Amino acid sequence: MSRSGHPPGLLAPPLGAALVGRFALARGHRFAEHVHPTHQLAWAERGVLSISAGDTTWALPPTRALWIPAGVRHTTAAAAATAMHSLYLRPARAPTGFDRPTVLAVAPLLAALIGHLGEAELGDAERARAEAVLFDQLVPAPVASIELALPTDDRARRVADALLADPADDRGAEALARLAGTSPRTLHRLFQDATGCGLGEWRLRARIRAALELLATGLPVGVVANRVGYRTPSAFVAAFRKVLGTTPAQVFGPSGS
């Protein structure tokens, strides 16, 4: 990582708005916490990216990208073998943007444009046209993504750590409250206040985040469903659709079905 926070070897056209990087990341590869002077659009063509800023982590399959504003400190990791594309957008030349990390939907056109802008032989005029269309395609995801904030209260954090360590943990609210040393009502409030969702919704997101990482390794849906706490593949697919608005097969292709 350079002093600017950008990895070396970027395609950096002098007249373009976007500096473009492509990175083949092995499972577990992690860029230490860093910051960019540019906005960043991080997307995994294959695999799953895990990006953290502050107390929040996003798990990003190929149907999602993350807009990271300039100046936001973050870490980036590969939850599975991942083909990462990263656009670094010069703020003075970017006509649009978001003031906080924002999950974006990656439609086929946006995916194609990201790949197109990574071609070194593009002329200035062709690049400018592609960038103009790109900015029109930066649309927040219409449904919840795998955005997972960690509670700061020690009692709730014990429960969060237990559920992250074993997504299939099926203990109910009463048992988890005993682990936390509080009441179910208080535990729910602690999660709601710190993370924006109650215990049940938080556990659902944690399970689907773990499932994304497993699916990216090529495991079939039935195996993944069992490992993250669902008795049947159909129940798992319903939960996956509730969180991401799509199915595992639509995210990862037929190999994930």
Side-chain angles (χ1 to χ4, degrees):
M1 196 72 65
S2 69
R3 290 183 180 179
S4 69
H6 295 141
L10 292 179
L11 174 65
L15 298 181
L19 294 73
V20 185
R22 293 175 175 175
F23 314 100
L25 305 180
R27 182 180 182 181
H29 184 92
R30 181 177 182 273
F31 293 109
E33 187 178 65
H34 58 282
V35 64
H36 303 294
T38 57
H39 306 311
Q40 181 182 8
L41 182 67
W43 172 60
E45 180 182 12
R46 295 189 310 277
V48 177
L49 283 177
S50 179
I51 299 179
S52 299
D55 292 326
T56 302
T57 298
W58 294 265
L60 304 160
T63 55
R64 297 289 185 267
L66 189 67
W67 174 280
I68 307 168
V72 172
R73 301 195 67 82
H74 60 282
T75 60
T76 302
T82 298
M84 177 184 175
H85 293 244
S86 192
L87 299 185
Y88 303 95
L89 303 164
R90 298 177 171 105
R93 301 183 190 177
T96 187
F98 307 93
D99 60 6
R100 62 182 299 274
T102 301
V103 176
L104 306 180
V106 179
L109 177 55
L110 178 56
L113 284 165
I114 293 172
H116 184 59
L117 286 167
E119 300 299 328
E121 63 272 15
L122 285 185
D124 292 339
E126 188 177 4
R127 184 174 300 280
R129 289 194 297 270
E131 288 176 349
V133 179
L134 172 84
F135 292 125
D136 287 340
Q137 297 299 308
L138 301 184
V139 179
V143 296
S145 186
I146 311 300
E147 179 176 324
L148 203 62
L150 288 173
T152 53
D153 184 274
D154 288 343
R155 295 166 293 177
R157 186 61 177 263
R158 282 199 296 274
V159 172
D161 288 344
L163 296 178
L164 289 174
D166 180 12
D169 188 331
D170 63 356
R171 283 179 288 181
E174 292 282 352
L176 292 174
R178 287 195 293 272
L179 173 64
T182 188
S183 69
R185 182 175 180 179
T186 297
L187 182 61
H188 177 86
R189 177 180 56 77
L190 291 172
F191 270 86
Q192 185 69 49
D193 291 348
T195 72
C197 55
L199 174 60
E201 176 69 17
W202 194 94
R203 172 160 36 194
L204 171 63
R205 294 189 185 190
R207 283 179 166 179
I208 301 305
R209 188 182 80 168
L212 284 173
E213 298 176 2
L214 294 170
L215 288 166
T217 69
L219 287 174
V221 164
V223 173
V224 173
N226 180 262
R227 290 193 183 181
V228 299
Y230 292 92
R231 294 182 179 179
T232 65
S234 60
F236 165 67
V237 170
F240 193 98
R241 186 186 291 276
K242 179 180 179 181
V243 174
L244 283 172
T246 187
T247 66
Q250 290 170 323
V251 171
F252 292 103
S255 63
S257 60

